[in-house]
Amino acid sequence: QVQLVESGGGLVQAGGSLRLSCAASGDTICISTMGWYRQAPGKEREPVALIIISDDGTSVHDTNYTDSVKGRFTISRDNGKNTLYLQMNSLKPEDTAVYYCNADLRRPLCVPADYWGQGTQVTVSS
């Protein structure tokens, strides 16, 4: 099992910045992909940014972003701390949502599973 604890949400004015953190614990060696998703009121949860971890778990193999955040958001991971980050710059009111951290476990010899954090609210005022 993996536990995910998010932090860093809050209220910010348009054009401002926030950094979200997601601390992972448990069977972190089984994590193959981590990502940030968001869900705005009345909308479905959508992927924001994903990070694919190298097979040996020590580096980032690839990153992907949804078009609306490209050039503004940066996803990163501190392997030593098992922590995922999302640096959000030039925030817009339409970025307002609850942001969720996700960990996908697909390593060989691991039980396939999908874990979510509790969510952190990001509110961008105009």
Side-chain angles (χ1 to χ4, degrees), residues 4-74:
L4 302 173
V5 179
E6 300 140 346
S7 61
L11 173 64
V12 65
Q13 289 188 335
S17 298
L18 282 174
R19 189 176 81 156
L20 306 182
S21 300
C22 172
S25 60
D27 296 329
T28 58
I29 194 172
C30 291
I31 297 175
S32 52
T33 304
M34 294 190 76
W36 291 98
Y37 291 70
R38 66 186 180 187
Q39 187 167 18
K43 295 187 178 181
E44 293 187 354
R45 190 174 298 187
E46 62 172 358
V48 175
L50 301 176
I51 198 164
I52 301 170
I53 301 165
S54 62
D55 289 344
D56 63 6
T58 62
S59 62
V60 173
H61 177 68
D62 197 8
T63 57
N64 289 289
Y65 298 90
T66 193
D67 286 346
S68 62
V69 308
K70 286 180 180 177
R72 300 189 297 123
F73 291 10
T74 302

